[in-house]
Amino acid sequence: MKTLLALLDKLSIRSKLTVIITGISLVVLFSLFVVSVLTQRSMLREALKHEVQILAQDLSRNCSPALVFDDRQAAGETLGTLQSKPQVAFGSIVTVDGGLFAKYQRGPDLERSDKLRLDLPAGAKSEAFFVGDFLKVSQPILFNNEQIGTLNICAGLDRIQQVLLRYVTLGLIGLAGAALLAWLLALWLQGLISRPIENLAATMLTVSSEQDYSRRVAMERSDELGTLVENFNEMLNQIQVRDADLQEKQKRLNYLAHHDPLTGLANRLLFDDRLQHALANARRKSNKVALLFIDLDRFKNINDSLGHKTGDVILQAVADRLASAIRAGDTLARLGGDEFVVVSEQAVDYQGITMLAQKVQQILVPPVQVGSQELFVSGSIGVSVFPEDGECVESLMQCADVAMYQAKELGRNNYQFFTSGMTERAQESLLMENKLRKALDNRELLIHYQPQVDMASGAIIGMEALLRWQHPVMGLVSPGKFIPLAEETGLILPIGKWVLQEACNQAVLWQKEGYPDWTMAVNISPKQFWQADLLDTIEEVLAKTGFDPALLELEITESAIMQDAEKAIDAMYRIRERGIKLAIDDFGTGYSSLSCLRRFPLSKLKIDRSFTNDILHSDDRGAIAEGIMALARTLKLDVIAEGVEEAAQMEFLLAKGCTEGQGFYLGRPMPPEGLVDYYLHKVANKGEVPDASYTVWAGVGG
Ligand code: C2E
Ligand code: MG
Ligand code: MG
């Protein structure tokens, strides 16, 4: 049974249903058939028994006289009438004492007839029973109601069996027909159940193998299968919606993972991949690949002073322009900040690559319109070429980066092809950094002081502390060379603190020596300005040196403040609350907005020396210088002109109402002892500008 069930389990639903329906029908039909055969058999037997008993009663009556008269012949004749009953095999008359009086026997089977005879009882009752293949009937023979003998008749059951055999044969044929019919019906009817299930299974299979969730099972039924199909379709609906949603999200994620959200350009990941691909291609075909590294010039300035929104608009405009400059098949990516790269597989030689670089440079020339403003952008472009400059993504990127820095150093807004000499320069810069790190400890740093003068009287109002680096081998290094490096590396923080400390110390020393209370202006770099502990540092220095905060003036550039105007105002107020003055250095070169300017707690604007320089020769610049003076008047700020190099410039400034000046004409930056000499000379000469001998302290860069 178990193996049968296991076998059934392996079949398909369709076969299972067919087998079950057919099987059950067969079992039921066969049971009915067996019952009907058994009924038939017992009916046939009863009929035979009845017939033989009637026969026995008739015969017992007829043979009674023969027994009374002991006439064996007559008895034999009477028994002979049994000849007409083919089912009777044997008949006998037995006397009361058990002796055989007469017998009839069909056929020559003596042995069987003897056995039958012996088995036959000589009882007083009428009896009928089945033994083996025979029916045995005993009937008492009576005379005057007294038993004088017994008549035994034995009938064979062969005829009944023949009839039954025929019945069974026909029945089995009928049963086979019924089984066939049941099978055909089962085959047809099982479809009602199996077809929808098969349909479901088939749809499920296609859905899972093709991942096609738009498939549906088409079927309308009102039974449980209908509900199943309906729910299945509904489930597919939900999966389809979820799948579409998921695919959309995946697409978006994929896009975000490979693109810059601001410009829509490829990001570093995608760029790396594309460059990798381009290099593999180029290797196969022995082609060149050009890598252009573009860094926007002074973008940080724009971003800091005009805000990130403006910066974003510019980046988007640049992205659009660059995209229009490259050919289909080239890759353009934004690596972050203001850095863009172009990979070109189509510029086959240096001439082609040069043309591409020029095109990129040119496309940036027209100003970008941001609201009502027109802003000018340019880029410094570094170019590296595969295979000459490098074989892999990293080395090509490094070379293009170095070349880009070279382009920046050469005054920006140009392109440079990488040369091996550039790496040396980059290494030089690294070396310089290491030397600068040691400069503080080795006491190689010193400060020169440049007087700030009241140009009308010639009196010294104060001075600006300007850092110098006296390197044992390199000599005097200009701050223009090492301040940006210090800013970049963070070294400006300890260096800046040292300058503040040293300048305040010097000022206090002069006070102690009886010199006038000169204002001390100290430059504060952007990084320094944004340090949360700037005020603490200043306090510490003031406490250590005992310098009067009212004589301290901090010079900050416009771009440093504009990085975050609100926060800057906050920081500046805290400085002003300590009584320290604040001046804006190089004013006019940045992008500070007038509305902000009004809110800054300033005391002074320093007109950048580029305006002072051109004041006599360029109407525009002269007008800007005048404008700054007017602005300072309106905002009630002091104003000082930087870079006064000639008497004529001083005259002009004085005529325009600017009385304070700083510049080579008025006094170069000089060491402390030089400044004292300068002062003493001034006193001696009643405020006159000292002669050229005081310019020996000029040093590098000033
Ligand atoms: P700055 O603050 O604008 O300083 C004025 C610069 O102009 C000085 O250059 C000075 O020597 C130079 N200068 C003064 N008068 C004239 C003139 O008549 N003609 C010309 N052509 N130049 C003149 P220096 O000393 O080379 O400093 C350059 C810049 O380095 C400074 O510009 C300042 O931004 C920065 N710097 C100098 N010392 C420090 C410092 O201690 N800390 C920080 N953060 N920056 C400093
Ligand atoms: Mg300055
Ligand atoms: Mg300046």
Side-chain angles (χ1 to χ4, degrees):
M1 190 68 180
K2 250 188 192 166
T3 43
L4 200 73
L5 283 177
L7 220 69
L8 200 65
D9 213 35
K10 282 184 192 148
L11 297 177
S12 65
I13 287 200
R14 170 191 288 265
S15 310
K16 251 181 223 150
L17 281 171
T18 314
V19 167
I20 290 171
I21 297 173
T22 316
I24 291 174
S25 315
L26 267 182
V27 168
V28 171
L29 284 174
F30 188 74
S31 311
L32 282 176
F33 173 68
V34 168
V35 169
S36 95
V37 167
L38 290 176
T39 316
Q40 188 71 22
R41 179 172 168 262
S42 93
M43 269 163 53
L44 283 172
R45 281 184 174 219
E46 279 310 308
L48 181 69
K49 194 165 132 188
H50 185 69
E51 189 188 342
V52 175
Q53 275 178 324
I54 303 260
L55 185 68
Q57 280 165 13
D58 283 352
L59 273 184
S60 71
R61 264 194 306 272
N62 290 347
C63 62
S64 158
L67 205 64
V68 172
F69 295 109
D70 194 28
D71 185 351
R72 289 179 185 256
Q73 196 182 345
E77 279 167 12
T78 309
L79 283 181
T81 57
L82 289 173
Q83 183 79 38
S84 63
K85 304 287 175 195
Q87 65 271 43
V88 177
F90 182 81
S92 67
I93 296 168
V94 183
T95 56
V96 241
D97 49 9
L100 178 69
F101 184 70
K103 76 166 186 178
Y104 160 77
Q105 183 179 326
R106 184 183 294 273
D109 191 356
L110 281 177
E111 198 186 315
R112 200 167 78 148
S113 67
D114 278 351
K115 196 173 163 222
L116 285 172
R117 178 176 52 84
L118 290 176
D119 284 348
L120 286 174
K125 303 186 287 192
S126 165
E127 268 182 316
F129 51 91
F130 292 96
V131 180
D133 295 342
F134 296 97
L135 165 70
K136 292 179 185 175
V137 173
S138 302
Q139 180 68 39
I141 303 169
L142 305 174
F143 184 73
N144 288 340
N145 283 331
E146 197 178 315
Q147 186 172 359
I148 52 172
T150 305
L151 173 70
N152 293 315
I153 294 178
C154 186
L157 299 179
D158 346 7
R159 299 201 85 220
I160 292 181
Q161 270 155 2
Q162 272 169 19
V163 172
L164 269 179
L165 192 68
R166 244 196 339 267
Y167 185 81
V168 167
T169 311
L170 281 175
L172 283 177
I173 290 169
L175 206 62
L180 184 69
L181 197 65
W183 180 69
L184 286 174
L185 272 173
L187 215 56
W188 175 54
L189 286 175
Q190 57 75 33
L192 288 177
I193 295 168
S194 71
R195 216 168 297 125
I197 295 176
E198 280 171 354
N199 223 335
L200 264 175
T203 311
M204 223 145 169
L205 203 71
T206 7
V207 165
S208 74
S209 64
E210 293 172 15
Q211 304 282 305
D212 177 7
Y213 298 110
S214 64
R215 301 250 173 182
R216 293 292 176 273
V217 184
M219 198 183 308
E220 276 193 17
R221 295 171 65 116
S222 49
D223 58 4
E224 290 92 329
L225 277 172
T227 318
L228 184 66
V229 167
E230 216 172 84
N231 287 335
F232 179 72
N233 283 342
E234 179 51 34
M235 187 177 78
L236 283 179
N237 261 346
Q238 288 178 8
I239 294 179
Q240 193 183 10
V241 170
R242 230 173 282 172
D243 188 58
D245 193 41
L246 211 71
Q247 273 180 6
E248 186 54 41
K249 279 191 182 132
Q250 223 158 25
K251 246 183 166 163
R252 177 95 196 111
L253 219 66
N254 204 24
Y255 180 84
L256 286 178
H258 293 99
H259 290 85
D260 163 42
L262 178 68
T263 58
L265 298 183
N267 65 6
R268 189 179 285 271
L269 205 70
L270 186 56
F271 158 75
D272 268 6
D273 197 55
R274 294 254 179 96
L275 182 54
Q276 209 93 254
H277 219 257
L279 295 184
N281 248 346
R283 246 174 239 128
R284 255 199 328 275
K285 298 180 189 161
S286 303
N287 277 355
K288 284 193 194 311
V289 176
L291 179 64
L292 275 69
F293 192 109
I294 306 148
D295 189 282
L296 300 186
D297 298 329
R298 295 197 182 82
F299 179 73
K300 195 170 171 329
N301 251 2
I302 297 179
N303 222 10
D304 291 348
S305 45
L306 299 180
H308 291 284
K309 274 205 185 119
T310 308
D312 285 355
V313 174
I314 287 173
L315 287 175
Q316 280 163 338
V318 167
D320 288 348
R321 287 190 194 177
L322 291 178
S324 72
I326 62 165
R327 283 193 248 169
D330 288 351
T331 296
L332 171 63
R334 180 178 170 225
L335 300 188
D338 56 347
E339 293 173 351
F340 294 85
V341 272
V342 172
V343 176
S344 176
E345 295 175 71
Q346 299 170 60
V348 283
D349 50 18
Y350 274 83
Q351 203 184 350
I353 300 170
T354 306
M355 275 164 61
L356 177 63
Q358 283 169 345
K359 198 173 170 193
V360 166
Q361 197 187 347
Q362 283 307 311
I363 203 106
L364 298 177
V365 168
V368 179
Q369 191 79 31
V370 185
S372 57
Q373 268 176 308
E374 271 194 341
L375 296 170
F376 289 87
V377 270
S378 64
S380 299
I381 306 164
V383 186
S384 63
V385 180
F386 168 89
E388 284 82 353
D389 301 332
E391 292 275 334
C392 63
V393 172
E394 290 75 28
S395 57
L396 284 169
M397 275 299 283
Q398 232 162 31
C399 293
D401 192 47
V402 169
M404 187 275 289
Y405 271 105
Q406 178 68 11
K408 286 243 186 252
E409 263 177 37
L410 290 174
R412 303 184 167 95
N413 194 17
N414 71 99
Y415 60 87
Q416 292 295 317
F417 277 85
F418 172 78
T419 62
S420 52
M422 290 179 183
T423 333
E424 285 160 26
R425 272 195 294 281
Q427 279 166 352
E428 255 172 45
S429 158
L430 203 72
L431 238 87
M432 184 86 151
E433 185 189 328
N434 282 335
K435 285 179 188 157
L436 186 59
R437 277 183 198 282
K438 291 183 196 139
L440 247 182
D441 294 339
N442 295 351
R443 299 174 171 271
E444 290 164 12
L445 298 181
L446 47 125
I447 299 179
H448 281 188
Y449 298 90
Q450 186 175 32
Q452 296 179 334
V453 178
D454 172 6
M455 293 187 286
S457 67
I460 301 174
I461 314 154
M463 62 202 64
E464 179 175 4
L466 292 162
L467 182 60
R468 297 290 178 262
W469 179 13
Q470 183 70 56
H471 188 266
V473 180
M474 295 186 290
L476 200 59
V477 187
S478 148
K481 273 197 182 152
F482 71 87
I483 294 271
L485 188 67
E487 177 82 9
E488 213 175 282
T489 54
L491 279 170
I492 194 71
L493 298 177
I495 292 177
K497 186 177 174 185
W498 178 83
V499 171
L500 191 67
Q501 169 100 35
E502 192 65 19
C504 292
N505 238 345
Q506 184 59 62
V508 172
L509 213 70
W510 276 326
Q511 281 176 341
K512 283 184 184 159
E513 286 170 6
Y515 294 106
D517 285 347
W518 292 313
T519 302
M520 181 60 76
V522 178
N523 291 288
I524 297 291
S525 84
K527 195 167 248 151
Q528 264 178 296
F529 179 72
W530 287 110
Q531 288 303 305
D533 62 353
L534 172 67
L535 195 59
D536 296 342
T537 309
I538 297 171
E539 294 279 11
E540 189 190 320
V541 169
L542 290 176
K544 240 190 219 168
T545 57
F547 188 50
D548 177 6
L551 293 176
L552 181 60
E553 184 171 79
L554 302 182
E555 294 189 7
I556 314 160
T557 56
E558 284 169 280
S559 53
I561 314 172
M562 292 307 291
Q563 281 180 27
D564 186 342
E566 295 305 317
K567 248 173 112 177
I569 289 174
D570 208 51
M572 287 163 88
Y573 263 106
R574 277 188 287 128
I575 293 171
R576 269 308 288 270
E577 273 165 20
R578 280 294 285 125
I580 301 163
K581 295 196 205 95
L582 284 164
I584 291 203
D585 204 356
D586 307 339
F587 190 75
T589 55
Y591 286 97
S592 52
S593 82
L594 289 180
S595 61
C596 281
L597 208 57
R598 193 175 303 131
R599 295 170 59 208
F600 293 142
L602 295 170
S603 52
K604 193 184 263 183
L605 295 184
K606 295 188 78 178
I607 301 176
D608 189 66
R609 71 166 182 263
S610 59
F611 301 114
T612 315
N613 267 251
D614 291 347
I615 210 164
L616 300 171
H617 316 294
S618 156
D619 281 351
D620 284 1
R621 301 219 141 223
I624 293 176
E626 277 183 59
I628 296 173
M629 290 178 229
L631 183 73
R633 261 194 302 278
T634 316
L635 297 175
K636 297 194 172 54
L637 298 176
D638 291 340
V639 64
I640 182 166
E642 289 188 277
V644 180
E645 291 181 350
E646 300 164 19
Q649 288 169 346
M650 184 177 82
E651 302 300 334
F652 184 90
L653 288 162
L654 278 171
K656 296 291 175 190
C658 175
T659 53
E660 289 183 28
Q662 180 184 344
F664 292 172
Y665 176 71
L666 302 167
R668 294 206 169 219
M670 47 200 129
E673 58 279 19
L675 194 106
V676 169
D677 279 359
Y678 169 91
Y679 168 71
L680 294 176
H681 185 278
K682 252 187 187 294
V683 173
N685 293 285
K686 300 194 176 62
E688 255 179 51
V689 172
D691 66 27
S693 64
Y694 287 99
T695 62
V696 293
W697 309 110
V700 183

